[in-house]
Amino acid sequence: MVNLSGTKYDIVRRVAEQFSIVTNKEEDQTSFLFWSDSFVSSERIVDLKPFQKINHFPGMGEICRKDCLARNLTKIGKSHPEEFSFSPRTWIFPSEYNAFQCYVRDLKKKKKHKTFICKPANGAMGNGISLYRNGEKIPQHDHMIVQEYLDKPFVIEGYKFDLRVYVLVTSCDPLRIFLYNDGLVRLSTEKYCHPTDTNVDQLFMHLTNYSVNKRSDNFEKTDEVDSGSKRSIKYLNDFLRRNDYDVAALWKNIQDLIVKTMVVAEPHVLHAYRMCRPGQPPGSDSVCFEILGFDILLDRKLKPWLLEINRSPSFGTDQKIDQEIKGGLLEDTFRLLNMKPSDKRKGMAAQKLESQKRLLRPTRRSEIELTELDKKKIIVEKRKEELKERLAQVRRESAREEYENRNMGRFRRIFPPADKFSIEKYTGLLADAFQLFLSGRAASLQREVTRTFRQLREDEILDMLQQCELDGAEFRDGKLVPRGPKPLSCMPSAADSMADEASELSPPDSPRDNRGRSSSRVQGTVGRKGRPVSAQRPSTRPQSGARSRSLTRPLSSRMTPVGSINPAVDEAFINAAVKERDEEMTKKTCVALSDMRIKFPGKTDEEAEVILLQLQDNWKFHKPRIASYWLVKLDSIKRRKVIDIVRSNVRAVLQRTWRLNDVDTLRLYRIFNRVFNRLLWSHGQGLWNCFSTSGNSWETIFSKSTDVISSTEMQCCRRIVQLCRDCLLIVYQFASEAKNSMATQSHSDGPPPSRSMSVRPPRPGFSSSSSISSFPQQNTMSPVSQRMSRLYSSSRSALDA
C-alpha cells in the first residue's frame, strides 16, 4: 500500500495502480511507501520500519536550498577550483554583502559591466527573482542570493532555454545515482537579447521557469515534443546532432556535474541518515529515495551550468509531453524500488533476530580478568564477524546491482561509475568532502567512505576468512601455537606431486593406473631422480587433449542458416564464438608464459638455468636459508616487490597477446591476481608452501569460488607459480653473491664503501644492457629493493616473452 496523503499529483496514484499497489489518501502508518510533495521531518524517518520507504532524504536541503548550495560549492571549490567550476559566482546576503560591494567597485574601476540576478534563498517557481545592471543598487535583503547573470546562453530558434534533468537517488549508504534519459527543455516566450537597462525587467525573455512563462500571451502549448514552449531533451539531442554538436561530450559533462554535486551533498545526507537510522548496518536497504530535478543552463560553448536543484519537482501533467516523460520516470522509479509484500516479513524477522542478539549477548568481562590468549581469541573472532558482515554486504550489493541492470528501463546508473579511473576520481573527491564538511565529527563515517567504494571482491573476503580460520586454529586446547615458517621435513618427489596434479586436471575418459591417477600425465613429467619438486620444470604448453569438445567441432557445423536465424539462437551463437575466442587467447597466453624465463643480472639464460638446478640439487643445504631470507629477512613490501617482478611482466604479456591496454577487467588477469595475492598470503607463507606438499596449496582459492576455472587457465596459473618460485630463488642467490662479494672486499681491502656511494639503478624495463652487464662488478651491496629492480633489462628483459 502507498500513502498518497502528502501529494496532490494524480499521476503518482495512476502509476502506482499500474504496479497493482493499493493507494490510500488517508494517513496510514502501515503503508509500504509514503509520497510527499514537501519536506519530511527527521522524526518521521526515524519512525519508519525497515520495509517502508519515503521519497525524501534528510539533509538534502544542503544542495536544494539556493544559499546552502552556494555555500557548499564555494567551500569545496576553494580546494578543487577546476572540478567545481560549473556554478555561477554567488554571494549570500546579508553575510556577504560587503564582499559583493567590493567586487562591484573593482568592476567599476576596470570599466567592466556585468548583470546580476537576485533570488530568494528558499524560493521556488520563479517567485521574487529580479535582474540588476548596477550591483550598487541591489538592496541588502535577508535570505537572498546574488549571482552573476549568464548573458551568453545557447538559444533555440532565438529563445533562451534551460533543461530539467531528472535524477534518482536510491541510496546514500552507499551512494547510488541514476540519470533519466529524457527530460524537459523549457523555453522562454520572448526572443533573447543581451541584457540592457531597457529590457532587464522583461522576465519572459530572461527567465525560463515554466510557472513564469505560462502566464505569457506567447506561451505555446502543443501535443508534440519538438515544438512549443516545452519540449523534450530527446528533441534537443536531435537538434544538436543535426547542427554537428558533440552530444556525447555534452552529456558526459552534465553527468559529471550531477555526480560532483551529489558528492557535495553526500556527507550531510549520510550523516543525517545515520542519525535517523541508528544501528542500521551499512549497505542495508535504504528506507529513503529521492527524485531530484536539476535545472541546467547551456552557454554558447555548450558548457553546462547548474542553476538550482528541486527536491520536489513538479509532477503536474498540463500537457501530453508531461504525461509521457513524468509517467515514464515514475514507472521506472517504482520498478527500481523493487517493493514486495515479502519485505515486511523479512524486515520483521531481521528486527527480531537483532533483538535476540542484543539480549543474548554475553556479558563483557573485565580486561583485567582476560589473559593474553583470551584477548587474541577475541580479536580473531571480532575480525571474523567483520569479514562475515562485509561478505554479506558484498553479496547484497551484487544482487542489487544485478537487479538494477535488469530493471533500469530508461535510467542509467552514473554512480558508482563502471570505469576504474572515475571511481578513483570521485572517491578522492568524496574523501575530501567528508574531511571538509564533517571535520571533527563522525570520524568513523569518514573512515568508511573510502572502503565503501573500494570494496573487496567476494573471493578476496573468502580468502581472508580462511586466514582467520587458520588463526583461530592456533588457539586449540587453550594453547597458543607460535606462528612462523613451517619446517619442511622432506621435499616431495616429482612423480607424486605431478601425479596429484594430473588426478585433478585429467579428463574423465583418460586412462588411469590402479591408484586412480592419470598414468600418461605422470610418465610425461617424471624428471631427474631424487630431484625436489621445484627442480622439475614441467612443460606448461597447452595439451591438445585439454581442448574442450565445443572447440574441436568446426565453426561451420554450429552455424544456423540465414533464413532461420532468431534472436535467441543468434545470441547463443555469438556467446559461443566469444567463448571460443577467449579460450584460444588463453591458450596463446599459456604458450607465451611457457616461454618466459627469469634472468639473472649479468648472466645468460643458460647460466641462470644452471644456477636454479644447482640450488634445487642442493636443496637440503639451501632450504633453511631461503626460508629465513623469504619469511624473516624480507618485510611485506620487499616480498611484494619480488612478486611484482613477475606480475608486471605477466601484465605486459597479456597486453601484447590480447591487444588491450587496460587488462584489469580481463577475467584471466583477475584470476592471476588472486594467485599473486595468495602467494603473499600469511606473510609469504603462500609462496613457501609451493615448495612443499605440507600446508595449504594455492589451488584451494578456487575451491570456494563460484567461478569455474578451465584446465588451460589452471595451467597458466601453475606456470605463474613456477615463475614466482624461480624469481625467489634468483633473488636469494643474487643477494647471497652480493653479500659474499662485500665480505670478501671487506676482508681484503678494508671497510666497504658507504651505501650512499652506490649508483641508483634504472627502473625495470628501462635499464640499458651496459648498466646491467657492469652491475655484478659493483663492490657496494645495494638495498634489497634495488637488487630486485635489476633483475632484467630492456634488451633482454627479466621475463623474456
Side-chain angles (χ1 to χ4, degrees):
M1 180 182 293
V2 56
N3 189 327
L4 302 179
S5 60
T7 181
K8 61 182 179 181
Y9 300 114
D10 191 57
I11 190 173
V12 180
R13 178 191 58 79
R14 294 200 302 269
V15 171
E17 290 176 350
Q18 290 179 16
F19 287 84
S20 302
I21 300 176
V22 180
T23 59
N24 186 5
K25 288 197 173 183
E26 298 179 359
E27 192 66 30
D28 187 359
Q29 298 302 322
T30 63
S31 299
F32 276 65
L33 174 63
F34 298 87
W35 197 282
S36 177
D37 296 338
S38 58
F39 167 77
V40 176
S41 65
S42 300
E43 290 77 10
R44 191 168 183 183
I45 297 175
V46 171
D47 295 336
L48 290 176
K49 304 296 182 184
F51 61 89
Q52 295 178 318
K53 293 184 183 294
I54 196 165
N55 69 322
H56 290 291
F57 279 100
M60 196 63 79
E62 291 293 331
I63 60 170
C64 293
R65 278 184 59 105
K66 298 180 182 66
D67 53 349
C68 294
L69 175 64
R71 184 183 300 110
N72 291 324
L73 287 179
T74 302
K75 194 172 183 179
I76 198 171
K78 292 178 180 178
S79 56
H80 299 279
E82 295 181 356
E83 298 288 349
F84 293 88
S85 60
F86 50 77
S87 178
R89 188 168 183 177
T90 309
W91 293 265
I92 303 172
F93 280 17
S95 60
E96 298 178 358
Y97 179 78
N98 292 333
F100 173 72
Q101 291 300 329
C102 291
Y103 178 74
V104 172
R105 286 193 291 269
D106 290 340
L107 289 177
K108 194 173 183 180
K109 290 178 183 178
K110 298 175 182 177
K111 296 183 180 181
K112 293 182 179 180
H113 297 281
K114 287 193 176 183
T115 305
F116 300 95
I117 182 169
C118 302
K119 305 176 184 179
N122 199 25
M125 301 174 67
N127 295 324
I129 298 180
S130 56
L131 273 68
Y132 289 86
R133 288 280 294 160
N134 187 354
E136 295 177 344
K137 295 182 179 180
I138 298 178
Q140 186 177 357
H141 290 308
D142 290 342
H143 308 299
M144 184 178 72
I145 67 166
V146 178
Q147 286 182 326
E148 289 184 348
Y149 181 72
L150 301 173
D151 56 1
K152 296 180 180 179
F154 189 87
V155 296
I156 295 178
E157 300 172 3
Y159 294 96
K160 179 183 176 181
F161 68 93
D162 73 349
L163 307 179
R164 168 59 61 86
V165 178
Y166 292 105
V167 174
L168 172 65
V169 182
T170 58
S171 171
C172 68
D173 188 13
L175 183 62
R176 303 187 77 81
I177 310 171
F178 297 84
L179 174 64
Y180 194 64
N181 73 346
D182 205 356
L184 297 175
V185 179
R186 306 179 302 180
L187 284 76
S188 60
T189 49
E190 292 184 13
K191 291 196 173 183
Y192 180 77
C193 295
H194 193 276
T196 62
D197 293 332
T198 57
N199 68 14
V200 75
D201 293 328
Q202 298 180 17
L203 298 184
F204 294 146
M205 175 192 297
H206 297 292
L207 300 186
T208 55
N209 304 67
Y210 167 72
S211 54
V212 173
N213 283 279
K214 70 179 182 180
R215 299 194 293 265
S216 171
D217 295 335
N218 298 326
F219 185 83
E220 297 181 21
K221 183 182 291 188
T222 65
D223 291 335
E224 303 298 328
V225 297
D226 55 356
S227 61
S229 297
K230 188 187 291 187
R231 307 180 188 182
S232 70
I233 285 181
K234 289 184 177 179
Y235 156 77
L236 174 66
N237 292 337
D238 294 338
F239 173 83
L240 294 175
R241 291 190 187 97
R242 289 196 303 269
N243 291 275
D244 297 327
Y245 289 101
D246 192 344
V247 177
L250 168 65
W251 282 101
K252 182 180 180 181
N253 294 333
I254 291 177
Q255 175 179 316
D256 187 60
L257 177 152
I258 293 170
V259 173
K260 288 176 181 175
T261 306
M262 293 306 305
V263 163
V264 172
E266 174 67 2
H268 307 284
V269 174
L270 182 57
H271 185 247
Y273 183 80
R274 289 279 185 91
M275 295 293 288
C276 292
R277 310 293 297 177
Q280 182 169 319
S284 56
D285 292 338
S286 174
V287 298
C288 298
F289 70 97
E290 192 145 12
I291 298 176
L292 300 172
F294 278 69
D295 290 346
I296 296 173
L297 182 73
L298 305 180
D299 64 15
R300 290 182 183 177
K301 296 181 180 179
L302 277 190
K303 177 184 177 179
W305 293 85
L306 177 63
L307 300 182
E308 62 181 8
I309 302 171
N310 296 272
R311 71 182 310 172
S312 297
S314 171
F315 283 99
T317 53
D318 298 340
Q319 299 177 226
K320 182 180 178 181
I321 186 174
D322 294 316
Q323 178 67 39
E324 293 177 356
I325 294 176
K326 297 174 184 179
L329 170 68
L330 289 172
E331 287 176 11
D332 291 341
T333 298
F334 273 82
R335 190 174 292 109
L336 269 179
L337 292 180
N338 192 23
M339 293 180 297
K340 305 183 295 294
S342 59
D343 291 343
K344 182 174 183 179
R345 184 182 69 254
K346 292 179 181 178
M348 300 304 291
Q351 273 190 325
K352 184 178 179 180
L353 181 62
E354 189 65 27
S355 300
Q356 289 177 347
K357 288 173 65 176
R358 287 197 301 267
L359 290 173
L360 301 177
R361 184 179 300 165
T363 57
R364 187 172 181 178
R365 294 168 59 187
S366 172
E367 292 190 1
I368 302 176
E369 302 174 5
L370 296 175
T371 64
E372 288 298 322
L373 185 61
D374 292 334
K375 291 179 182 179
K376 291 181 178 179
K377 288 173 68 175
I378 291 173
I379 292 174
V380 171
E381 290 299 324
K382 186 177 180 181
R383 175 65 173 162
K384 285 171 63 176
E385 291 298 323
E386 290 176 355
L387 288 173
K388 288 179 180 178
E389 289 179 4
R390 293 183 69 179
L391 181 62
Q393 183 179 352
V394 167
R395 286 174 173 170
R396 282 197 303 268
E397 289 297 322
S398 178
R400 179 186 302 173
E401 187 169 333
E402 184 180 352
Y403 177 83
E404 290 171 352
N405 292 337
R406 295 196 312 266
N407 297 276
M408 278 193 291
R410 286 153 287 189
F411 276 112
R412 182 173 76 254
R413 184 172 52 243
I414 60 176
F415 192 87
D419 59 298
K420 186 177 180 181
F421 173 78
S422 297
I423 289 179
E424 292 179 354
K425 171 186 171 182
Y426 292 133
T427 302
L429 292 176
L430 264 175
D432 292 346
F434 272 84
Q435 182 66 29
L436 182 65
F437 296 118
L438 296 182
S439 179
R441 297 182 295 156
S444 61
L445 206 60
Q446 297 181 44
R447 288 193 298 268
E448 286 180 21
V449 64
T450 303
R451 191 183 74 176
T452 301
F453 297 105
R454 292 174 180 167
Q455 284 280 15
L456 293 171
R457 296 192 302 273
E458 181 178 347
D459 48 16
E460 295 174 336
I461 298 178
L462 287 172
D463 290 344
M464 296 168 71
L465 269 174
Q466 185 180 8
Q467 174 64 28
C468 281
E469 295 289 345
L470 293 175
D471 291 342
E474 297 175 359
F475 305 106
R476 275 196 208 106
D477 303 327
K479 296 181 181 180
L480 179 62
V481 179
R483 296 187 62 169
K486 299 179 181 179
L488 295 180
S489 56
C490 64
M491 296 301 296
S493 66
D496 291 340
S497 175
M498 297 307 296
D500 290 338
E501 294 182 1
S503 65
E504 294 177 3
L505 296 179
S506 58
D509 54 351
S510 60
R512 296 178 177 271
D513 59 10
N514 54 4
R515 291 179 298 172
R517 298 189 177 97
S518 177
S519 57
S520 60
R521 292 287 296 273
V522 175
Q523 294 170 4
T525 56
V526 175
R528 194 173 299 180
K529 184 176 181 181
R531 183 74 49 80
V533 64
S534 56
Q536 302 296 328
R537 304 187 61 81
S539 173
T540 54
R541 291 186 179 274
Q543 303 292 331
S544 59
R547 187 186 297 268
S548 63
R549 296 183 180 179
S550 62
L551 296 180
T552 58
R553 298 198 302 268
L555 189 62
S556 59
S557 65
R558 283 174 280 140
M559 295 180 63
T560 308
V562 176
S564 60
I565 286 181
N566 61 66
V569 175
D570 191 37
E571 183 179 359
F573 171 74
I574 293 174
N575 292 336
V578 170
K579 185 177 180 181
E580 183 174 350
R581 174 190 172 276
D582 290 348
E583 181 69 20
E584 193 64 32
M585 297 301 293
T586 303
K587 290 179 180 295
K588 290 182 179 180
T589 304
C590 192
V591 173
L593 292 176
S594 302
D595 294 335
M596 295 170 70
R597 296 292 182 269
I598 303 293
K599 180 175 177 61
F600 196 106
K603 298 184 185 297
T604 64
D605 292 342
E606 291 75 15
E607 291 173 335
E609 186 78 15
V610 171
I611 290 174
L612 288 174
L613 293 176
Q614 289 174 351
L615 286 173
Q616 294 155 359
D617 285 336
N618 199 14
W619 182 251
K620 187 175 181 181
F621 172 79
H622 291 291
K623 177 183 66 178
R625 290 164 177 79
I626 296 175
S628 175
Y629 179 76
W630 174 248
L631 298 171
V632 179
K633 289 185 179 180
L634 295 185
D635 58 22
S636 60
I637 296 176
K638 293 174 182 177
R639 280 193 294 265
R640 183 173 292 277
K641 286 186 177 182
V642 174
I643 299 298
D644 282 346
I645 292 173
V646 181
R647 190 201 302 260
S648 60
N649 285 272
V650 168
R651 182 186 180 93
V653 167
L654 288 174
Q655 289 173 336
R656 184 167 59 251
T657 305
W658 292 74
R659 297 183 180 180
L660 293 173
N661 290 328
D662 184 14
V663 296
D664 292 333
T665 57
L666 205 61
R667 164 186 159 84
L668 194 59
Y669 186 68
R670 293 200 301 267
I671 293 174
F672 291 169
N673 265 335
R674 293 180 62 187
V675 175
F676 287 128
N677 293 335
R678 184 64 177 189
L679 296 181
L680 292 169
W681 166 77
S682 189
H683 310 288
Q685 191 70 46
L687 179 56
W688 185 243
N689 287 343
C690 296
F691 290 93
S692 170
T693 55
S694 62
N696 291 311
S697 171
W698 58 269
E699 296 182 15
T700 58
I701 62 175
F702 301 117
S703 60
K704 294 185 178 182
S705 175
T706 55
D707 293 337
V708 179
I709 307 299
S710 68
S711 59
T712 310
E713 292 169 340
M714 183 64 77
Q715 208 166 5
C716 292
C717 293
R718 289 199 173 98
R719 179 56 183 163
I720 285 176
V721 173
Q722 181 65 44
L723 289 171
C724 290
R725 294 194 305 185
D726 291 348
C727 189
L728 170 58
L729 297 178
I730 290 290
V731 171
Y732 159 75
Q733 182 63 23
F734 181 79
S736 299
E737 291 184 4
K739 183 178 179 181
N740 294 335
S741 175
M742 181 173 155
T744 303
Q745 182 200 5
S746 175
H747 181 71
S748 59
D749 301 334
S754 62
R755 186 168 296 182
S756 61
M757 298 290 291
S758 62
V759 179
R760 183 175 180 84
R763 294 177 61 188
F766 295 91
S767 57
S768 62
S769 58
S770 61
S771 62
I772 291 297
S773 62
S774 61
F775 174 68
Q777 280 75 33
Q778 290 183 1
N779 295 326
T780 304
M781 179 180 176
S782 59
V784 175
S785 59
Q786 294 184 9
R787 295 200 304 273
M788 291 188 294
S789 70
R790 296 189 178 104
L791 289 182
Y792 66 102
S793 62
S794 59
S795 58
R796 299 188 66 177
S797 66
L799 300 173
D800 292 323

